[in-house]
Amino acid sequence: MEQSALPPYRRIVDEIRRRIDAGELVPGDRVPSTRRITQEWRVAMATATKVLTTLRQEGLVRAVPGVGTVVAEPRPDAGTPSHRTARSEPARERRPRETDSGLSRERVVRAGIKVADAEGLRALSMRRVAAEFGVSSMALYRHVANKDELVMLMADAAFSDVRLPDPAPDGRRDRMEAGARLQWELYQRHPWLAQYLSITRPQPMPRAMALIEWTMARVEGMDPVTLIHMAITLLNHVRATAAGFEDDLEAEQETGMDQNQWMASMEPQFEGILTSGSYPMYGGMVGHDEDVVNLQSLFEFGLARLLDGMEAFVERRAAESGGVS
């Protein structure tokens, strides 16, 4: 059958097989994720999922928990696949030695963001970023000290892309809401970012700190410790909810199922629980759309309740001190 006559998923399977056979991907290397496949070949997520499922069925890849889908070791009884190991090292040896021309810290950081956006933070490595430039990982160490520094620079650079509204909201509630939504939109563009941030071991990222300062700039009459608690509480609601974006990406890479497919596979078990009568709150969800509770609805509900509470808190503090809110 001519290549053009093959269904889209089969053409992608054959291309990834070609990369494996040519030594471009060797055992242990991550293969393109479902998200990467949708971006590179412009196909639907269902098609991308079928690609990885087919590759697993054919023994070319395997799922590694916490890592993703990687090239499998060739089976000793498979006949022809033995050439994958024999050809992999020469194929890499034939690559020309790289030069450092054109590389810069900014380009390395942007390449890291590109990889993390498409494949998740767990897929990020100095070697993987170096592959974006066709160089060895050693070439990157002239610009960043190590992976930890690279990720911190990536996170701070991502925050630099935030565009503050002009004019800015003047009221404290409107300003806090605007700041929270700017963060939420940022985490949607960079799903790995929310999981990277920490409230217990905060990273020195001036651009991220500037956004939080802007968010809280209209809250007056609070001592510094209280204001920081308010800022971190608001930040953590957005960050913790948005961490689900990366969680879902990693789960999809490990299982080969998107969220809808996974929910469909769990439906028989959930149905028994919901109809048992033992869980009336959950049982009340029967008849509602499956996606009535999702990350967006959780963000909106939690943000509104937080802002309600903070507004009441600020007003009570002002009344207690005899000030004007």
Side-chain angles (χ1 to χ4, degrees):
M1 181 182 295
E2 293 184 2
Q3 188 73 6
S4 60
L6 294 174
Y9 89 91
R10 191 70 248 180
R11 292 200 299 270
I12 302 171
V13 167
D14 289 348
E15 170 57 21
I16 295 175
R17 179 195 292 274
R18 182 200 66 75
R19 296 178 187 180
I20 295 172
D21 289 344
E24 297 173 21
L25 293 170
V26 299
D29 280 355
R30 285 188 57 141
V31 300
S33 64
T34 49
R35 183 184 296 183
R36 184 83 172 190
I37 290 171
T38 62
Q39 293 173 342
E40 184 173 345
W41 281 279
R42 300 191 181 283
V43 294
M45 185 61 75
T47 299
T49 301
K50 189 171 184 178
V51 168
L52 293 185
T53 300
T54 303
L55 289 169
R56 277 195 291 270
Q57 291 172 343
E58 295 182 2
L60 292 171
V61 303
R62 62 189 180 92
V64 178
V67 176
T69 302
V70 304
V71 178
E73 294 287 345
R75 293 172 298 181
D77 60 341
T80 57
S82 60
H83 72 285
R84 284 161 47 191
T85 301
R87 294 175 59 182
S88 61
E89 288 305 317
R92 293 190 178 238
E93 292 173 1
R94 287 195 296 271
R95 294 178 182 174
R97 291 181 62 84
E98 76 277 8
T99 65
D100 195 27
S101 61
L103 280 184
S104 67
R105 173 178 284 218
E106 182 179 0
R107 289 193 68 204
V108 171
V109 169
R110 288 297 171 183
I113 292 174
K114 176 184 175 184
V115 171
D117 285 352
E119 302 175 25
L121 198 57
R122 289 187 181 180
L124 186 79
S125 66
M126 299 296 277
R127 177 185 176 191
R128 176 65 186 86
V129 175
E132 293 291 305
F133 300 101
V135 301
S136 74
S137 58
M138 290 304 297
L140 303 188
Y141 289 106
R142 303 184 187 109
H143 305 280
V144 292
N146 48 45
K147 178 183 173 181
D148 289 342
E149 182 185 42
L150 173 60
V151 179
M152 187 172 69
L153 291 171
M154 288 163 49
D156 200 42
F159 274 95
S160 73
D161 292 336
V162 173
R163 294 293 175 261
L164 299 176
D166 186 15
D170 196 45
R172 61 173 173 253
R173 180 180 178 126
D174 290 342
R175 178 72 73 95
M176 285 190 289
E177 179 176 355
R181 292 191 181 281
L182 287 171
Q183 293 175 58
W184 180 252
E185 292 164 3
L186 180 65
Y187 298 146
Q188 288 180 297
R189 294 195 299 273
H190 306 292
W192 54 273
L193 183 56
Q195 281 199 351
Y196 172 70
L197 299 177
S198 172
I199 63 170
T200 58
R201 300 188 180 188
Q203 304 90 333
M205 296 188 300
R207 289 157 173 163
M209 295 167 71
L211 175 57
I212 306 306
E213 285 276 358
W214 181 90
T215 300
M216 307 303 294
R218 290 293 178 266
V219 181
E220 299 175 348
M222 293 293 162
D223 63 275
V225 174
T226 300
L227 190 60
I228 285 289
H229 274 83
M230 292 176 64
I232 294 177
T233 298
L234 185 60
L235 163 69
N236 200 44
H237 166 65
V238 186
R239 183 195 67 86
T241 308
F245 293 127
E246 182 80 343
D247 288 340
D248 193 51
L249 171 61
E250 291 176 355
E252 184 176 317
Q253 291 173 338
E254 291 178 10
T255 66
M257 293 187 288
D258 62 24
Q259 185 183 34
N260 291 334
Q261 291 171 320
W262 186 85
M263 288 298 294
S265 72
M266 294 291 106
E267 187 173 353
Q269 292 93 319
F270 276 120
E271 184 176 2
I273 294 173
L274 297 179
T275 58
S276 68
S278 300
Y279 308 93
M281 179 182 70
Y282 293 101
M285 296 299 295
V286 174
H288 290 274
D289 291 339
E290 291 181 358
D291 64 347
V292 69
V293 178
N294 52 53
L295 291 179
Q296 185 68 39
S297 72
L298 292 171
F299 165 71
E300 297 290 353
F301 182 88
L303 177 61
R305 303 294 79 73
L306 270 177
L307 294 176
D308 288 344
M310 287 186 178
E311 186 73 4
F313 175 68
V314 172
E315 289 180 353
R316 186 173 73 248
R317 275 291 185 93
E320 291 172 351
S321 64
V324 179
S325 65

